[in-house]
Amino acid sequence: MLRKHLDYYLRYLDHDIPAGLVVFLVALPLCLGIAVASGAPPFSGVIAGIVGGLVVSIASGSQLSVSGPAAGLAVIVAAAVEKLGFDGMLLAVALSGLIQVAMGYLRAGVIGAYFPSSVIKGMLAAIGVILIMKQLPHAVGYDADAESDLSFLEGDSHTSFSFLTSALQSISPGATLVACASLGILILWETPTIKERKILSLVPGPLVAVIFGVFFNLIARSALPSLAIAPQHLVGLPAISGPLEFFREFHFPDLHLLANAQVYVTAATIALVGSLETLLSLEAADKLDPLKRTAPPDQELKAQGLGNFISGMVGGLPITAVIVRSSANINAGAHTKVSAVVHGLLLLLAVMFLSSILNMIPLACLAAVLLLTGYKLAKPKLTIEQYEKGFDQFAPFAITIAAILLTDLLEGMAIGMAVGIFFVLRGNYHSAFALTRDGSNYLLRLQKDVSFLNKAPLRDILDSIEPDSYVVIDGTRATFIDHDIMETLDDFFKAAGDDNIRVELKNMRGLAPVNGLVAAA
């Protein structure tokens, strides 16, 4: 069996190794950028990418999904760093991994199906808006708030808009030029002009943007000092030159914070949101898989949990499956999980031996990558699509966005879920049964499951039936009828004779009769 598996993975090395290189080039700027956006050291983002490639991909049941730090969790991580410190955030990440492992064993892989899609899309759109608001200062070379959280409301009661105003008064021309040019490169790289050219399409846009930023700054230092980017606006990885120095940079969580209740709240939030993002990315990767393989979601939760526990214990950010890296992996021709392992190995070698080169990357380049990521999450087209689907889809979407922007991610999601559940109940409330009339003949059809929530409208419908009528109550389409509904029908059945109303029960056999209400064919 082992030999068979080994042969399977060796068979596609000519596809998987080049794909792993492409994913590495996509992941490296994202790992660094997400760490900066989270108010965490850049090294922590790379650690998460390494663990995602070398641990999660091996433990996962997915052949093509790629895991690492995700922009969707930057909101939670930044808030955790603000409240608990970096050590406390690491502890929350490790605990979230244990929660995810437990979720996997409890077969909670179906959890994503219980969240309305409108609420999930609202959550991602809100994260996109916050990313844009928080990365604009980095894009113009003003990062005094690099350690703040990613909530819309600032700690001094000012919003991100007022913060932007002060940031724009301290613009760095060099950083602004690099950010704008990087955005132009990223947008150009997504046009058919580039995609149709095979060689250019294999080079990731973020890598081109990063290379441009590095060379621009090198030239500006000697030729145009006024446009040179200050050292504090460059990536700040520790100076590492070998395995021993790499391991010395590991940062461990503060176990004394186990007594802090906020650690457990943060861990649960990371586990829930991270699991949702993972399951959604996993489903998307399965749809993109040319071989149409399906990854087991419960195993994926266990793999992500193992990865998060290790990442938190050695100084890394939380990990999820990421659709950007997964789609890049698939488009690059990957066939098996070897490509994800190769990407993790390349990240390890890069930070271990090339940290001095990585420290030449301007933060403005990474800000541009995240600005485009934020736009894709919150693009206007998404709002238009939700609006066209109807008010019951648009309202939870819009309210989730507003709630997250005005509170935080956890409270905003809770509010969005409450609104989503309300619209689900309202839809069920109105569609549980239908009454049709033809003269003095009525047909009351129970459409599906009928719960106690439908008792009040059922009474109104029964009260509207006029005397001297003939009523058929049809339960053909009902799979469940609540006891309260049966009692309401029983009361109507008993009183029907007083108004000369004849009642026939159709296809309700098998439902427990209540008092005088007798199921009949």
Side-chain angles (χ1 to χ4, degrees):
M1 181 64 72
L2 180 61
R3 176 70 180 177
K4 183 178 180 181
H5 282 290
L6 187 61
D7 289 342
Y8 176 75
Y9 290 119
L10 292 176
R11 187 187 313 163
Y12 300 110
L13 287 180
D14 57 332
H15 293 85
D16 290 333
I17 291 178
L21 175 61
V22 170
V23 178
F24 157 72
L25 297 174
V26 171
L28 181 58
L30 287 175
C31 289
L32 296 170
I34 290 167
V36 173
S38 303
F43 185 74
S44 64
V46 182
I47 286 292
I50 294 170
V51 174
L54 298 182
V55 177
V56 177
S57 59
I58 294 175
S60 170
S62 173
Q63 293 294 334
L64 298 178
S65 179
V66 182
S67 297
L73 288 176
V75 177
I76 305 169
V77 173
V81 172
E82 176 99 356
K83 295 175 184 176
L84 304 170
F86 185 64
D87 293 350
M89 183 276 293
L90 294 179
L91 181 59
V93 172
L95 292 175
S96 75
L98 297 179
I99 294 173
Q100 285 184 303
V101 171
M103 290 170 65
Y105 280 106
L106 292 173
R107 301 185 181 278
V110 297
I111 187 175
Y114 291 95
F115 280 77
S117 62
S118 57
V119 175
I120 294 175
K121 290 176 181 176
M123 175 193 75
L124 295 175
I127 290 170
V129 171
I130 295 172
L131 278 177
I132 291 171
M133 302 303 293
K134 288 296 183 176
Q135 289 307 304
L136 280 175
H138 291 291
V140 298
Y142 179 86
D143 58 356
D145 198 44
E147 299 301 320
S148 83
D149 68 347
L150 292 190
S151 63
F152 179 75
L153 293 175
E154 300 293 335
D156 57 2
S157 297
H158 293 93
T159 66
S160 288
F161 290 121
S162 61
F163 176 74
L164 278 176
T165 302
S166 62
L168 293 175
Q169 295 172 356
S170 306
I171 289 178
S172 167
T176 305
L177 182 59
V178 166
C180 291
S182 297
L183 269 176
I185 291 170
L186 292 169
I187 293 171
L188 175 65
W189 239 251
E190 295 194 357
T191 62
T193 304
I194 298 296
K195 290 183 176 181
E196 289 172 0
R197 288 165 172 77
K198 187 173 181 180
I199 296 177
L200 289 177
S201 65
L202 291 176
V203 182
L207 177 67
V208 179
V210 163
I211 292 174
F212 164 80
V214 169
F215 278 98
F216 172 88
N217 197 41
L218 289 174
I219 294 171
R221 283 180 181 176
S222 57
L224 297 166
S226 61
L227 292 180
I229 299 174
Q232 65 266 30
H233 299 307
L234 304 176
V235 167
L237 285 171
I240 298 173
S241 58
L244 290 178
E245 291 187 16
F246 172 77
F247 290 117
R248 288 195 191 105
E249 292 298 329
F250 281 1
H251 199 97
F252 304 106
D254 185 355
L255 299 181
H256 293 96
L257 290 172
L258 284 171
N260 188 333
Q262 187 61 41
V263 169
Y264 298 96
V265 174
T266 303
T269 306
I270 292 173
L272 177 60
V273 177
S275 297
L276 277 175
E277 187 161 348
T278 288
L279 294 171
L280 292 173
S281 298
L282 191 68
E283 184 177 348
D286 285 345
K287 289 179 180 177
L288 294 173
D289 185 355
L291 300 180
K292 302 303 177 186
R293 291 166 291 190
T294 302
D298 294 325
Q299 183 178 345
E300 187 67 23
L301 288 180
K302 296 174 188 176
Q304 295 292 334
L306 176 63
N308 274 313
F309 177 75
I310 294 174
S311 183
M313 292 302 291
V314 298
L317 295 179
I319 298 168
T320 73
V322 187
I323 190 56
V324 173
R325 276 160 250 186
S326 301
S327 58
N329 189 38
I330 294 168
N331 292 335
H335 281 56
T336 73
K337 61 176 67 179
V338 169
S339 60
V341 175
V342 169
H343 123 274
L345 183 61
L346 291 175
L347 283 174
L348 175 63
L349 295 175
V351 74
M352 197 177 285
F353 299 106
L354 302 176
S355 61
S356 59
I357 296 176
L358 298 179
N359 283 339
M360 299 168 65
I361 300 173
L363 294 179
C365 291
L366 306 181
V369 173
L370 289 168
L371 282 172
L372 189 60
T373 301
Y375 174 78
K376 289 179 178 179
L377 291 173
K379 54 188 176 183
K381 182 181 178 182
L382 178 63
T383 302
I384 295 172
E385 289 175 352
Q386 290 298 115
Y387 179 79
E388 290 176 346
K389 289 180 179 179
F391 186 73
D392 61 333
Q393 291 296 308
F394 181 73
F397 170 79
I399 291 173
T400 299
I401 295 175
I404 290 174
L405 292 178
L406 296 175
T407 57
D408 60 32
L409 188 67
L410 188 58
E411 290 183 30
M413 279 289 289
I415 293 171
M417 277 296 296
V419 174
I421 290 171
F422 167 77
F423 278 97
V424 170
L425 293 177
R426 193 183 76 156
N428 182 71
Y429 182 88
H430 288 293
S431 62
F433 37 73
L435 181 70
T436 55
R437 179 181 180 181
D438 181 14
S440 61
N441 299 313
Y442 293 83
L443 171 62
L444 176 61
R445 178 170 285 137
L446 307 182
Q447 305 279 35
K448 51 182 179 179
D449 293 349
V450 189
S451 72
F452 69 94
L453 296 173
N454 307 112
K455 184 164 67 172
L458 177 61
R459 283 178 174 171
D460 292 339
I461 284 179
L462 294 176
D463 289 343
S464 70
I465 297 175
E466 297 179 356
D468 303 317
S469 300
Y470 177 71
V471 181
V472 176
I473 301 177
D474 185 2
T476 303
R477 300 178 182 177
T479 56
F480 168 78
I481 301 179
D482 190 272
H483 187 79
D484 286 356
I485 298 299
M486 292 295 289
E487 286 187 343
T488 301
L489 292 174
D490 181 53
D491 292 340
F492 173 73
F493 185 81
K494 289 179 179 177
D498 297 337
D499 292 324
N500 195 29
I501 297 175
R502 291 179 298 146
V503 180
E504 177 187 345
L505 303 181
K506 183 179 180 182
N507 292 326
M508 296 183 67
R509 187 171 294 162
L511 297 173
V514 179
N515 298 332
L517 186 61
V518 180

